Amino acid sequence: MIVMKFGGSSVADAQRIRHVVGIVKTQLDQKPVLVLSAMGDTTDHLLEAGSAAFQKGAVLIEQIENHHFDTIKKLKLPNQVRKEVSALLEELKRLLSGISLLREMTPRTKDFLVSFGERLSIRIVAAYCNSIGIPAQACDAWDVGFVSDSNFTSAELIKESWELIPQKIAPLLKAGVLPIVTGFIAKDLNGNITTLGRGGSDLTATMIAAACKAQEAQVWKDVDGILTADPRIVAKARPVETVSYEEAAELAYFGAQVLHPRAMQPCIKTGTPVLVKNSYNIAAPGTRIVAVLDKKSVPVRAITFRKNVTLVDIVSTRMLGQYGFLAEVFSTFARHHISIDMVATSEVSVSLTLDAAQDLSAVKKELARIASIDIKTGKAIVTIVGNVRRSSEILAKAFKTCQLIGVPVQMISQGASKVNISFIVNDAEAVEVVKALHLDFFGKL
Ligand code: ASP
Ligand code: MG
């Protein structure tokens, strides 16, 4: 069997749904399980409706309602699904009235609220499949074994899911039915609806693929695969043919937002390949994400960057020995729940980077007892993802490029996961550096 996942823009309206089901139809002999996101920007619209209820006491779901009913009409679906969709929309209205009366919106309520998007989309697509002769069944994730912890808005699946999912999915496939599963959502052990974090449908798909030992997980997007750089910055960016799971996870974290950062985790356990394809351009080969790469492959896979980073230089005032100093620095950040991205240390100093959004005043005050601290804002992390065993070659080239364009490199670090080399430049220089590096490593083409 295989898993095919389609994101919001792939199922945005009646036309897109027809197109996507057309793609599925060509692979029915592979016994696919379908995972879908909410239609188009429905998740955002639900969150907007939630804020309107919470802030203004208004229940506004006309846009969501019209779009789903309009799609049902355009796909000429039977009355039964219209009833199911109406029932869900009524429930949604009751929830929004509740929010508007209580003027309260907890993370648990938020997850319940956004769950409607996926619950609506699978019912519509399943009805469409059935109407054209593909026997399909809409499955809410909790009915096919998705059990999570209660960490609302970014829940983790619990280990029992690994057994439950294949138990529930196998009989459907055996009966020749196409299961169509809600991405993104699950239920905790108390029966509350949870979500796996924005973009979480990818994780739903890779989890089903890994737990059911699928041949592959196909993740259908609106881009040609994982690209060598952000195409808005590097016009010549092109799809990467193959990447390792670690590289894909690294790229997801550093701005190339093609996949959910945690989506690789289930497949790493089982070695299940993930194929990223473009539903708008079926002919494009896409990107294959696998456990082990061909040794001969090129040293650099992609170049990404993240802006708005703060660089903190902490120099010991020699009140503590080396071990005591480093321990004190990191535990201070931990106590204040400030997460750190890059670190470089020497015996008496630490340089580290973090997201500019975090408030550093308390940490600064505490650390002042043992160190002098210099905080520099307006920095960017440029990351080269690739084969770090060839790091000297990569670094030599990268430094030469930076020198040629006159950009000083302010700190460098090699990712612990051994697939990235990152360095810090000024925010204003980041785009120029990425462009130059791309030209250097991937040529003009
Ligand atoms: N619909 C959810 C979101 O927009 C989940 C997903 O698309 O993967 O974040
Ligand atoms: Mg979405």
Side-chain angles (χ1 to χ4, degrees):
M1 48 100 52
I2 59 168
V3 177
M4 302 177 81
K5 182 255 161 173
F6 293 92
S9 81
S10 300
V11 291
D13 53 34
Q15 195 196 348
R16 297 298 308 156
I17 290 172
R18 280 200 201 96
H19 176 73
V20 154
V21 173
I23 297 174
V24 176
K25 219 172 157 181
T26 63
Q27 302 199 39
L28 281 178
D29 55 334
Q30 310 231 55
K31 290 191 178 283
V33 173
L34 224 55
V35 174
L36 302 180
S37 292
M39 291 174 65
D41 295 326
T42 302
T43 307
D44 291 325
H45 296 152
L46 285 165
L47 287 170
E48 281 155 26
S51 310
F54 174 59
Q55 280 161 6
K56 301 187 205 113
V59 176
L60 300 167
I61 62 156
E62 229 189 331
Q63 190 184 8
I64 296 171
E65 208 165 31
N66 288 345
H67 186 56
H68 286 84
F69 282 133
D70 180 54
T71 305
I72 291 176
K73 196 166 145 199
K74 286 199 175 120
L75 292 173
K76 303 193 177 65
L77 299 180
N79 226 2
Q80 175 57 26
V81 67
R82 172 174 277 278
K83 273 192 212 149
E84 284 174 46
V85 165
S86 295
L88 279 173
L89 289 169
E90 280 313 310
E91 194 185 345
L92 170 61
K93 266 186 231 167
R94 281 199 300 279
L95 171 64
L96 288 168
S97 312
I99 295 171
S100 69
L101 286 173
L102 294 171
R103 295 295 174 103
E104 192 177 275
M105 173 104 101
T106 61
R108 189 178 80 175
T109 307
K110 217 177 198 174
D111 278 358
F112 182 26
L113 172 68
V114 292
S115 76
F116 283 93
E118 272 71 8
R119 289 153 79 196
L120 289 165
S121 71
I122 59 156
R123 284 169 170 80
I124 291 175
V125 176
Y128 176 66
C129 287
N130 283 309
S131 79
I132 62 162
I134 303 172
Q137 184 174 320
C139 310
D140 290 317
W142 45 84
D143 290 331
V144 288
F146 278 80
V147 186
S148 75
D149 61 18
S150 305
N151 189 6
F152 296 104
T153 75
S154 62
E156 301 248 8
L157 298 170
I158 64 171
K159 66 175 190 305
E160 283 75 6
S161 300
W162 282 87
E163 275 168 38
L164 289 168
I165 293 168
Q167 267 171 32
K168 305 282 184 181
I169 296 280
L172 294 170
L173 292 177
K174 216 166 166 198
V177 172
L178 170 69
I180 306 186
V181 182
T182 52
F184 182 46
I185 57 180
K187 267 187 186 172
D188 70 6
L189 288 166
N190 299 319
N192 297 306
I193 295 179
T194 58
T195 67
L196 310 175
R198 291 305 304 266
S201 308
D202 291 342
L203 181 55
T204 308
T206 52
M207 183 64 192
I208 296 177
C212 297
K213 304 198 172 61
Q215 236 156 38
E216 68 182 19
Q218 301 176 359
V219 180
W220 291 81
K221 303 264 162 183
D222 52 9
V223 289
D224 279 347
I226 296 180
L227 302 182
T228 50
D230 184 338
R232 287 166 301 186
I233 288 163
V234 180
K236 298 265 161 62
R238 59 175 189 265
V240 187
E241 218 173 284
T242 31
V243 296
S244 67
Y245 295 128
E246 288 76 13
E247 288 168 350
E250 202 63 43
L251 283 167
Y253 181 66
F254 280 101
Q257 277 159 359
V258 172
L259 286 170
H260 184 278
R262 283 191 284 135
M264 290 306 119
Q265 284 173 3
C267 289
I268 288 175
K269 282 198 187 153
T270 55
T272 314
V274 179
L275 184 61
V276 181
K277 290 273 290 174
N278 188 353
S279 71
Y280 289 81
N281 182 14
I282 308 175
T287 297
R288 211 173 172 74
I289 309 172
V290 293
V292 201
L293 288 177
D294 182 353
K295 284 217 177 60
K296 290 193 301 271
S297 60
V298 290
V300 171
R301 216 70 60 212
I303 298 159
T304 70
F305 73 107
R306 220 150 44 126
K307 285 190 135 185
N308 231 341
V309 167
T310 296
L311 176 62
V312 186
D313 284 320
I314 305 164
V315 180
S316 166
T317 39
R318 292 186 183 274
M319 304 289 289
L320 298 170
Q322 185 200 350
Y323 304 116
F325 173 64
L326 291 180
E328 185 61 28
V329 168
F330 290 115
S331 64
T332 306
F333 278 92
R335 260 200 313 282
H336 292 278
H337 301 286
I338 290 179
S339 78
I340 297 169
D341 293 324
M342 279 170 64
V343 182
T345 66
S346 78
E347 241 168 272
V348 292
S349 72
V350 185
S351 297
L352 43 85
T353 69
L354 30 91
D355 215 69
Q358 305 179 93
D359 179 15
L360 287 177
S361 47
V363 167
K364 195 175 171 187
K365 210 163 141 200
E366 265 186 53
L367 284 178
R369 290 179 296 115
I370 56 161
S372 67
I373 298 158
D374 186 15
I375 298 176
K376 300 182 188 118
T377 55
K379 305 292 172 187
I381 303 180
V382 174
T383 298
I384 303 177
V385 173
N387 184 351
V388 173
R389 256 165 296 158
R390 288 165 73 175
S391 63
S392 3
E393 184 189 332
I394 297 170
L395 278 172
K397 214 167 174 176
F399 278 145
K400 200 166 153 215
T401 304
C402 288
Q403 193 193 6
L404 274 177
I405 59 174
V407 171
V409 171
Q410 301 173 34
M411 167 179 166
I412 96 158
S413 94
Q414 201 165 305
S417 53
K418 298 284 190 300
V419 296
N420 85 52
I421 293 168
S422 294
F423 52 90
I424 299 287
V425 297
N426 288 330
D427 245 351
E429 295 157 346
V431 167
E432 197 192 346
V433 170
V434 170
K435 279 185 175 160
L437 288 176
H438 195 274
L439 188 63
D440 236 13
F441 284 106
F442 298 104
K444 285 213 180 69
L445 225 91

